[in-house]
Amino acid sequence: TWSTTWWRPLDAPTLRLKRHEEYAEAVRATLDAAVAARIKGDARIGSQLSGGLDSGSVTALAAAQLAREGRALAAFTATPRCATPRLKD
């Protein structure tokens, strides 16, 4: 067997910005660039929404980028076949 390490967080340089708001901007720009790199080309794009913040964020960014190109994003999610029993008040 073999193993490949793609990213090691401890090896990443420390990021020091002047304002707290700059950290949010840096995360947004990095995530936006990562999404853009994965939706290149003319193939139809779909996204699986899990209900978490990460899949929702990626889906929102991809939808916005594709809309600027006149393209659409298909988003999918799932719910259990059996309804979860409701809790009594």
Side-chain angles (χ1 to χ4, degrees):
T1 66
W2 56 275
S3 173
T4 301
T5 301
W6 298 100
W7 180 61
R8 294 176 53 176
L10 296 177
D11 293 342
T14 301
L15 180 63
R16 300 277 186 229
L17 301 174
K18 292 180 181 180
R19 299 177 305 119
H20 292 296
E21 296 81 10
E22 292 178 13
Y23 290 100
E25 293 165 7
V27 168
R28 169 70 185 262
T30 301
L31 186 56
D32 206 37
V35 170
R38 283 151 185 85
I39 62 172
K40 290 181 180 179
D42 58 359
R44 293 176 64 194
I45 306 293
S47 179
Q48 172 67 41
L49 287 163
S50 66
L53 291 176
D54 54 349
S55 66
S57 298
V58 169
T59 298
L61 290 172
Q65 291 177 23
L66 291 168
R68 287 192 292 271
E69 299 174 12
R71 298 168 64 196
L73 174 73
F76 305 91
T77 192
T79 58
R81 195 171 264 246
C82 306
T84 304
R86 298 187 75 165
L87 298 175
K88 293 183 181 182
D89 293 330

